[in-house]
mmCIF file of all heavy atoms in Angstrom:
data_model
loop_
_atom_site.group_PDB
_atom_site.id
_atom_site.type_symbol
_atom_site.label_atom_id
_atom_site.label_comp_id
_atom_site.label_asym_id
_atom_site.label_seq_id
_atom_site.Cartn_x
_atom_site.Cartn_y
_atom_site.Cartn_z
ATOM 1 N N SER R 26 -2.810 4.700 -3.372
ATOM 2 C CA SER R 26 -2.430 3.398 -3.812
ATOM 3 C C SER R 26 -2.943 2.999 -5.203
ATOM 4 O O SER R 26 -4.158 3.321 -5.494
ATOM 5 C CB SER R 26 -2.845 2.307 -2.820
ATOM 6 O OG SER R 26 -2.620 0.993 -3.333
ATOM 7 N N PRO R 27 -2.180 2.296 -6.017
ATOM 8 C CA PRO R 27 -2.830 1.811 -7.284
ATOM 9 C C PRO R 27 -3.790 0.678 -6.847
ATOM 10 O O PRO R 27 -3.620 -0.070 -5.863
ATOM 11 C CB PRO R 27 -1.592 1.235 -7.992
ATOM 12 C CG PRO R 27 -0.517 1.029 -6.981
ATOM 13 C CD PRO R 27 -0.769 2.042 -5.965
ATOM 14 N N PRO R 28 -4.903 0.546 -7.552
ATOM 15 C CA PRO R 28 -5.892 -0.413 -7.214
ATOM 16 C C PRO R 28 -5.382 -1.850 -6.997
ATOM 17 O O PRO R 28 -5.881 -2.519 -6.149
ATOM 18 C CB PRO R 28 -7.007 -0.312 -8.386
ATOM 19 C CG PRO R 28 -6.737 1.058 -8.946
ATOM 20 C CD PRO R 28 -5.305 1.361 -8.779
ATOM 21 N N SER R 29 -4.443 -2.288 -7.889
ATOM 22 C CA SER R 29 -4.039 -3.673 -7.837
ATOM 23 C C SER R 29 -3.198 -3.951 -6.565
ATOM 24 O O SER R 29 -3.028 -5.140 -6.317
ATOM 25 C CB SER R 29 -3.216 -3.981 -9.064
ATOM 26 O OG SER R 29 -2.141 -3.079 -9.196
ATOM 27 N N LEU R 30 -2.686 -3.018 -5.926
ATOM 28 C CA LEU R 30 -1.895 -3.205 -4.741
ATOM 29 C C LEU R 30 -2.555 -2.726 -3.483
ATOM 30 O O LEU R 30 -1.946 -2.668 -2.434
ATOM 31 C CB LEU R 30 -0.510 -2.545 -4.854
ATOM 32 C CG LEU R 30 0.376 -3.040 -6.022
ATOM 33 C CD1 LEU R 30 1.684 -2.232 -6.113
ATOM 34 C CD2 LEU R 30 0.768 -4.491 -5.709
ATOM 35 N N LYS R 31 -3.859 -2.349 -3.578
ATOM 36 C CA LYS R 31 -4.593 -1.762 -2.448
ATOM 37 C C LYS R 31 -4.906 -2.836 -1.471
ATOM 38 O O LYS R 31 -5.479 -3.900 -1.761
ATOM 39 C CB LYS R 31 -5.759 -1.024 -2.962
ATOM 40 C CG LYS R 31 -6.418 -0.192 -1.813
ATOM 41 C CD LYS R 31 -7.753 0.519 -2.327
ATOM 42 C CE LYS R 31 -7.298 1.719 -3.233
ATOM 43 N NZ LYS R 31 -6.700 2.797 -2.446
ATOM 44 N N PHE R 32 -4.621 -2.558 -0.184
ATOM 45 C CA PHE R 32 -5.042 -3.355 0.951
ATOM 46 C C PHE R 32 -5.899 -2.488 1.865
ATOM 47 O O PHE R 32 -5.643 -1.207 1.980
ATOM 48 C CB PHE R 32 -3.824 -3.916 1.663
ATOM 49 C CG PHE R 32 -3.255 -5.145 1.071
ATOM 50 C CD1 PHE R 32 -2.472 -4.994 -0.159
ATOM 51 C CD2 PHE R 32 -3.431 -6.362 1.528
ATOM 52 C CE1 PHE R 32 -1.921 -6.064 -0.774
ATOM 53 C CE2 PHE R 32 -2.836 -7.484 0.972
ATOM 54 C CZ PHE R 32 -2.053 -7.344 -0.165
ATOM 55 N N GLU R 33 -6.720 -3.105 2.661
ATOM 56 C CA GLU R 33 -7.499 -2.403 3.622
ATOM 57 C C GLU R 33 -7.345 -3.126 5.014
ATOM 58 O O GLU R 33 -7.342 -4.355 5.052
ATOM 59 C CB GLU R 33 -8.956 -2.337 3.261
ATOM 60 C CG GLU R 33 -9.312 -1.407 2.066
ATOM 61 C CD GLU R 33 -10.805 -1.274 1.822
ATOM 62 O OE1 GLU R 33 -11.555 -2.117 2.266
ATOM 63 O OE2 GLU R 33 -11.189 -0.267 1.142
ATOM 64 N N PHE R 34 -7.273 -2.289 6.086
ATOM 65 C CA PHE R 34 -7.123 -2.898 7.404
ATOM 66 C C PHE R 34 -8.067 -2.092 8.331
ATOM 67 O O PHE R 34 -8.312 -0.956 8.134
ATOM 68 C CB PHE R 34 -5.653 -2.723 7.895
ATOM 69 C CG PHE R 34 -4.713 -3.531 7.111
ATOM 70 C CD1 PHE R 34 -3.865 -2.937 6.141
ATOM 71 C CD2 PHE R 34 -4.505 -4.864 7.410
ATOM 72 C CE1 PHE R 34 -2.956 -3.629 5.392
ATOM 73 C CE2 PHE R 34 -3.550 -5.578 6.675
ATOM 74 C CZ PHE R 34 -2.822 -5.010 5.662
ATOM 75 N N ASN R 35 -8.538 -2.777 9.314
ATOM 76 C CA ASN R 35 -9.457 -2.145 10.276
ATOM 77 C C ASN R 35 -8.649 -1.941 11.559
ATOM 78 O O ASN R 35 -8.586 -2.922 12.404
ATOM 79 C CB ASN R 35 -10.689 -3.008 10.524
ATOM 80 C CG ASN R 35 -11.754 -2.282 11.295
ATOM 81 O OD1 ASN R 35 -11.778 -1.076 11.356
ATOM 82 N ND2 ASN R 35 -12.713 -3.042 11.827
ATOM 83 N N CYS R 36 -8.102 -0.779 11.782
ATOM 84 C CA CYS R 36 -7.158 -0.484 12.867
ATOM 85 C C CYS R 36 -7.935 -0.432 14.185
ATOM 86 O O CYS R 36 -9.148 -0.099 14.228
ATOM 87 C CB CYS R 36 -6.425 0.766 12.654
ATOM 88 S SG CYS R 36 -5.336 0.801 11.230
ATOM 89 N N PRO R 37 -7.302 -0.715 15.337
ATOM 90 C CA PRO R 37 -8.044 -0.707 16.573
ATOM 91 C C PRO R 37 -8.643 0.659 16.942
ATOM 92 O O PRO R 37 -9.690 0.705 17.643
ATOM 93 C CB PRO R 37 -6.902 -1.001 17.621
ATOM 94 C CG PRO R 37 -5.830 -1.737 16.849
ATOM 95 C CD PRO R 37 -5.949 -1.127 15.464
ATOM 96 N N ASN R 38 -8.056 1.776 16.522
ATOM 97 C CA ASN R 38 -8.567 3.041 16.931
ATOM 98 C C ASN R 38 -9.161 3.921 15.796
ATOM 99 O O ASN R 38 -10.340 4.348 15.868
ATOM 100 C CB ASN R 38 -7.435 3.844 17.588
ATOM 101 C CG ASN R 38 -6.855 3.157 18.736
ATOM 102 O OD1 ASN R 38 -7.526 2.964 19.805
ATOM 103 N ND2 ASN R 38 -5.578 2.772 18.744
ATOM 104 N N ARG R 39 -8.381 4.032 14.708
ATOM 105 C CA ARG R 39 -8.929 4.866 13.584
ATOM 106 C C ARG R 39 -9.903 4.139 12.716
ATOM 107 O O ARG R 39 -10.522 4.738 11.833
ATOM 108 C CB ARG R 39 -7.760 5.510 12.869
ATOM 109 C CG ARG R 39 -6.980 4.535 11.984
ATOM 110 C CD ARG R 39 -5.876 5.206 11.145
ATOM 111 N NE ARG R 39 -6.520 5.876 10.009
ATOM 112 C CZ ARG R 39 -6.304 7.160 9.745
ATOM 113 N NH1 ARG R 39 -5.509 7.897 10.542
ATOM 114 N NH2 ARG R 39 -6.851 7.658 8.592
ATOM 115 N N GLY R 40 -9.972 2.838 12.850
ATOM 116 C CA GLY R 40 -10.886 2.064 12.018
ATOM 117 C C GLY R 40 -10.305 1.792 10.641
ATOM 118 O O GLY R 40 -9.059 1.473 10.544
ATOM 119 N N LEU R 41 -11.115 1.838 9.596
ATOM 120 C CA LEU R 41 -10.687 1.347 8.313
ATOM 121 C C LEU R 41 -9.586 2.316 7.679
ATOM 122 O O LEU R 41 -9.742 3.540 7.693
ATOM 123 C CB LEU R 41 -11.919 1.328 7.366
ATOM 124 C CG LEU R 41 -11.688 0.614 5.997
ATOM 125 C CD1 LEU R 41 -11.397 -0.848 6.168
ATOM 126 C CD2 LEU R 41 -12.860 0.816 5.062
ATOM 127 N N ILE R 42 -8.558 1.654 7.189
ATOM 128 C CA ILE R 42 -7.469 2.375 6.527
ATOM 129 C C ILE R 42 -7.069 1.611 5.256
ATOM 130 O O ILE R 42 -7.022 0.338 5.321
ATOM 131 C CB ILE R 42 -6.266 2.561 7.496
ATOM 132 C CG1 ILE R 42 -5.255 3.497 6.846
ATOM 133 C CG2 ILE R 42 -5.625 1.245 7.911
ATOM 134 C CD1 ILE R 42 -4.093 3.872 7.789
ATOM 135 N N SER R 43 -6.847 2.328 4.174
ATOM 136 C CA SER R 43 -6.438 1.669 2.934
ATOM 137 C C SER R 43 -5.092 2.211 2.518
ATOM 138 O O SER R 43 -4.638 3.271 2.930
ATOM 139 C CB SER R 43 -7.447 1.916 1.846
ATOM 140 O OG SER R 43 -7.499 3.349 1.548
ATOM 141 N N GLY R 44 -4.458 1.446 1.655
ATOM 142 C CA GLY R 44 -3.102 1.897 1.207
ATOM 143 C C GLY R 44 -2.481 0.833 0.308
ATOM 144 O O GLY R 44 -3.059 -0.237 -0.001
ATOM 145 N N MET R 45 -1.281 1.116 -0.039
ATOM 146 C CA MET R 45 -0.524 0.168 -0.918
ATOM 147 C C MET R 45 0.222 -0.869 -0.098
ATOM 148 O O MET R 45 1.094 -0.426 0.749
ATOM 149 C CB MET R 45 0.475 0.994 -1.814
ATOM 150 C CG MET R 45 1.321 0.144 -2.759
ATOM 151 S SD MET R 45 2.386 1.090 -3.831
ATOM 152 C CE MET R 45 3.602 1.648 -2.698
ATOM 153 N N GLY R 46 0.026 -2.060 -0.393
ATOM 154 C CA GLY R 46 0.850 -3.119 0.229
ATOM 155 C C GLY R 46 1.941 -3.557 -0.696
ATOM 156 O O GLY R 46 1.646 -3.849 -1.913
ATOM 157 N N ILE R 47 3.152 -3.624 -0.241
ATOM 158 C CA ILE R 47 4.278 -4.100 -1.020
ATOM 159 C C ILE R 47 4.449 -5.595 -0.672
ATOM 160 O O ILE R 47 4.877 -5.920 0.463
ATOM 161 C CB ILE R 47 5.513 -3.301 -0.788
ATOM 162 C CG1 ILE R 47 5.293 -1.856 -1.280
ATOM 163 C CG2 ILE R 47 6.764 -3.897 -1.526
ATOM 164 C CD1 ILE R 47 6.487 -0.903 -1.077
ATOM 165 N N PRO R 48 4.270 -6.499 -1.662
ATOM 166 C CA PRO R 48 4.346 -7.926 -1.315
ATOM 167 C C PRO R 48 5.781 -8.389 -1.108
ATOM 168 O O PRO R 48 6.736 -7.775 -1.506
ATOM 169 C CB PRO R 48 3.694 -8.561 -2.548
ATOM 170 C CG PRO R 48 3.960 -7.602 -3.623
ATOM 171 C CD PRO R 48 3.904 -6.278 -3.031
ATOM 172 N N ALA R 49 5.930 -9.520 -0.461
ATOM 173 C CA ALA R 49 7.235 -10.183 -0.289
ATOM 174 C C ALA R 49 7.718 -10.505 -1.704
ATOM 175 O O ALA R 49 6.988 -10.766 -2.661
ATOM 176 C CB ALA R 49 7.047 -11.413 0.542
ATOM 177 N N GLY R 50 9.045 -10.629 -1.807
ATOM 178 C CA GLY R 50 9.704 -10.888 -3.082
ATOM 179 C C GLY R 50 10.592 -9.781 -3.474
ATOM 180 O O GLY R 50 11.151 -9.086 -2.654
ATOM 181 N N ILE R 51 10.732 -9.615 -4.805
ATOM 182 C CA ILE R 51 11.680 -8.508 -5.312
ATOM 183 C C ILE R 51 10.768 -7.473 -5.884
ATOM 184 O O ILE R 51 9.939 -7.711 -6.819
ATOM 185 C CB ILE R 51 12.642 -9.078 -6.312
ATOM 186 C CG1 ILE R 51 13.602 -10.027 -5.677
ATOM 187 C CG2 ILE R 51 13.372 -7.935 -7.028
ATOM 188 C CD1 ILE R 51 13.216 -11.479 -5.628
ATOM 189 N N THR R 52 10.837 -6.296 -5.394
ATOM 190 C CA THR R 52 10.007 -5.139 -5.829
ATOM 191 C C THR R 52 10.964 -4.068 -6.375
ATOM 192 O O THR R 52 11.899 -3.639 -5.683
ATOM 193 C CB THR R 52 9.198 -4.573 -4.701
ATOM 194 O OG1 THR R 52 8.295 -5.547 -4.247
ATOM 195 C CG2 THR R 52 8.404 -3.361 -5.097
ATOM 196 N N LEU R 53 10.564 -3.547 -7.559
ATOM 197 C CA LEU R 53 11.288 -2.440 -8.175
ATOM 198 C C LEU R 53 10.443 -1.220 -7.952
ATOM 199 O O LEU R 53 9.187 -1.241 -8.211
ATOM 200 C CB LEU R 53 11.596 -2.618 -9.594
ATOM 201 C CG LEU R 53 12.486 -3.822 -10.039
ATOM 202 C CD1 LEU R 53 12.724 -3.693 -11.581
ATOM 203 C CD2 LEU R 53 13.750 -3.787 -9.260
ATOM 204 N N ILE R 54 11.069 -0.040 -7.598
ATOM 205 C CA ILE R 54 10.430 1.210 -7.708
ATOM 206 C C ILE R 54 11.123 2.007 -8.807
ATOM 207 O O ILE R 54 12.282 2.294 -8.693
ATOM 208 C CB ILE R 54 10.556 1.949 -6.318
ATOM 209 C CG1 ILE R 54 9.944 1.089 -5.179
ATOM 210 C CG2 ILE R 54 9.898 3.332 -6.368
ATOM 211 C CD1 ILE R 54 10.155 1.748 -3.806
ATOM 212 N N VAL R 55 10.368 2.296 -9.842
ATOM 213 C CA VAL R 55 10.971 2.980 -11.040
ATOM 214 C C VAL R 55 10.284 4.299 -11.250
ATOM 215 O O VAL R 55 9.367 4.643 -10.614
ATOM 216 C CB VAL R 55 10.830 2.065 -12.246
ATOM 217 C CG1 VAL R 55 11.497 0.675 -12.082
ATOM 218 C CG2 VAL R 55 9.275 1.881 -12.613
ATOM 219 N N GLY R 56 10.799 5.015 -12.236
ATOM 220 C CA GLY R 56 10.184 6.354 -12.605
ATOM 221 C C GLY R 56 11.218 7.364 -12.978
ATOM 222 O O GLY R 56 12.452 7.096 -12.823
ATOM 223 N N GLY R 57 10.787 8.462 -13.424
ATOM 224 C CA GLY R 57 11.737 9.513 -13.774
ATOM 225 C C GLY R 57 12.299 10.181 -12.644
ATOM 226 O O GLY R 57 11.907 10.094 -11.476
ATOM 227 N N GLY R 58 13.385 11.016 -12.867
ATOM 228 C CA GLY R 58 14.035 11.758 -11.809
ATOM 229 C C GLY R 58 13.110 12.711 -11.126
ATOM 230 O O GLY R 58 12.284 13.318 -11.814
ATOM 231 N N TYR R 59 13.238 12.833 -9.807
ATOM 232 C CA TYR R 59 12.456 13.823 -9.012
ATOM 233 C C TYR R 59 10.966 13.538 -8.979
ATOM 234 O O TYR R 59 10.164 14.382 -8.715
ATOM 235 C CB TYR R 59 12.701 15.222 -9.544
ATOM 236 C CG TYR R 59 14.175 15.614 -9.657
ATOM 237 C CD1 TYR R 59 14.793 15.609 -10.839
ATOM 238 C CD2 TYR R 59 14.846 15.973 -8.451
ATOM 239 C CE1 TYR R 59 16.170 15.913 -10.943
ATOM 240 C CE2 TYR R 59 16.205 16.300 -8.571
ATOM 241 C CZ TYR R 59 16.812 16.258 -9.759
ATOM 242 O OH TYR R 59 18.219 16.584 -9.901
#
C-alpha cells in the first residue's frame, strides 16, 4: 500500500494486518498498459 492510503486492522485470528484502503467516493485506477 502507498503510505497515504494505508490502513491497519487487528483481525480476530491473524492479528494486525495492513493494506490499502480505497475510500468512498470516486476513485480512479490509472497507469500504463500491463
Side-chain angles (χ1 to χ4, degrees):
S26 171
S29 57
L30 295 176
K31 188 179 289 290
F32 279 74
E33 291 185 341
F34 296 98
N35 194 16
C36 296
N38 301 297
R39 68 176 285 128
L41 192 66
I42 187 171
S43 64
M45 180 176 73
I47 297 181
I51 293 88
T52 298
L53 297 188
I54 302 174
V55 302
Y59 306 100

